[in-house]
Amino acid sequence: MINFKIILLSIVIEALPFVLLSVIVSAILHNFVTEDMISRIIPKNKFLSIVPASLLGIVLPVCDCGMVPIVRRLVKKGVPLPTAISFMLGAPILNPLVAAATAFAFKTNTAMVLFRLGTAFLVACFAGWLTSLFFKGNELKPLTANQQHSCGCCGPHTDQYLIDELTFTGKLLRTIHDASNEFFEMGKYLLIGAILGTLAQIVLSREILLSIGQHPGFSVGVMMLFAFVISVCSAADAFIAASFYTSFSAGSLVAFMVFGPMLDLKNTLMLLHTFRFRFVVWLAFVAATLCAGAAYVINLL
């Protein structure tokens, strides 16, 4: 029991400052940066715009839980679908907050940071290019006014038109309100992930963990499934991955930290609500295949 408390508290305490910073930045961006501003930054050419769109998180470090509504509005405003998909997959990982959190969680292990960011960049770019080859339309579902997103998974999922009507003070107060809501919402997922990760280390013997974690292919699948289920945000998942550092291969940990922010349980439900079913299934297959392939290669290095 003492070991359980120590491991759990160490994961949560280390992750909380990064989660707090992430939700504050995310709330500021949501209330002060409009989709029009983002749309103007992204080049219109759908082939040339994929690379800069994948890297846009460097200046717009948005949380993955709020990406689907943003992407839906961008596509409706005329941003090409491949560009928006690359932005959705890349921005939650390719940003300074996540890079700093990963470096801190792995004790400044530069290789893990480079593996994570490099894999995320390649997956975001290739997914965008493949989308441009297979889909010509926007693949959005025709939503009515009553079908706007309301899953409650994250605070700042509100109508942009209401935000535009607010004064500066109103936006500031709304930013504090959104950041608070998102912090407690993300804190819940962080706690669930930390508990599951801690239990796995306490309950399973080291021999079993090593037999699973050191297999070059099976370990990748296990960690991707784990990331999909626990739905931890990209600012905190590195601390959970680091708790498996001695048991699981580097590739499987990278797969956990890349695939989870791109596609987890809550994001999949939002995607199914927003995009056509065939596109969501195709995107999930492509993202999973690219992540698994990159992680397998890292395991062989």
Side-chain angles (χ1 to χ4, degrees):
M1 179 56 80
I2 294 176
N3 284 339
F4 177 84
K5 291 179 180 175
I6 291 174
I7 296 173
L8 178 63
L9 283 176
S10 65
I11 294 173
V12 173
I13 290 173
E14 284 187 326
L16 278 180
F18 291 97
V19 174
L20 181 61
L21 190 58
S22 174
V23 297
I24 291 173
V25 172
S26 177
I28 290 172
L29 290 175
H30 179 72
N31 287 285
F32 289 94
V33 178
T34 68
E35 285 76 24
D36 284 331
M37 296 177 186
I38 299 174
S39 181
R40 284 197 293 270
I41 294 174
I42 298 177
K44 298 303 179 188
N45 185 295
K46 67 180 181 180
F47 293 103
L48 299 179
S49 63
I50 285 173
V51 172
S54 302
L55 298 172
L56 204 55
I58 295 173
V59 291
L60 297 172
V62 290
C63 172
D64 56 287
C65 74
M67 286 304 296
V68 177
I70 293 174
V71 165
R72 176 178 177 272
R73 286 192 289 264
L74 287 176
V75 173
K76 287 180 72 70
K77 288 177 182 293
V79 173
L81 180 65
T83 309
I85 290 301
S86 294
F87 173 58
M88 182 183 77
L89 297 180
I93 303 172
L94 293 162
N95 69 65
L97 285 175
V98 172
T102 307
F104 189 82
F106 285 92
K107 311 302 180 190
T108 66
N109 185 333
T110 309
M112 290 301 290
V113 180
L114 294 178
F115 280 147
R116 183 181 195 185
L117 301 185
T119 301
F121 175 70
L122 291 176
V123 172
C125 287
F126 276 106
W129 283 321
L130 289 173
T131 301
S132 70
L133 292 177
F134 289 96
F135 296 93
K136 302 304 178 188
N138 64 26
E139 294 301 315
L140 287 173
K141 279 183 178 177
L143 298 181
T144 66
N146 293 328
Q147 290 177 312
Q148 298 298 318
H149 175 62
S150 58
C151 73
C153 69
C154 183
H157 289 171
T158 52
D159 195 329
Q160 186 64 49
Y161 296 110
L162 296 177
I163 296 174
D164 292 341
E165 297 295 324
L166 295 174
T167 62
F168 179 82
T169 304
K171 290 182 179 179
L172 198 59
L173 292 174
R174 191 175 194 95
T175 299
I176 297 171
H177 174 267
D178 289 346
S180 302
N181 284 346
E182 191 172 0
F183 176 75
F184 286 107
E185 191 63 36
M186 286 301 100
K188 179 175 65 181
Y189 288 110
L190 169 63
L191 191 58
I192 292 172
I195 290 173
L196 291 175
T198 306
L199 281 175
Q201 295 181 68
I202 298 295
V203 174
L204 298 177
S205 68
R206 181 159 181 78
E207 288 73 20
I208 294 176
L209 273 178
L210 286 173
S211 66
I212 298 173
Q214 295 305 311
H215 190 283
F218 188 54
S219 61
V220 172
V222 169
M223 290 307 283
M224 286 174 63
L225 180 62
F226 185 41
F228 182 83
V229 172
I230 64 173
S231 302
V232 180
C233 76
S234 55
D237 58 2
F239 296 93
I240 296 173
S243 68
F244 291 98
Y245 187 55
T246 57
S247 306
F248 276 71
S249 61
S252 64
L253 299 181
V254 171
F256 174 85
M257 295 186 291
V258 172
F259 185 67
M262 290 183 173
L263 206 70
D264 59 23
L265 187 57
K266 67 179 189 303
N267 281 348
T268 301
L269 293 176
M270 283 189 272
L271 284 170
L272 288 170
H273 180 75
T274 304
F275 291 96
R276 291 189 172 92
F277 179 79
R278 62 167 187 167
F279 176 71
V280 177
V281 172
W282 180 88
L283 181 63
F285 175 76
V286 168
T289 303
L290 291 174
C291 285
Y296 187 79
V297 171
I298 291 172
N299 277 342
L300 297 180
L301 293 178

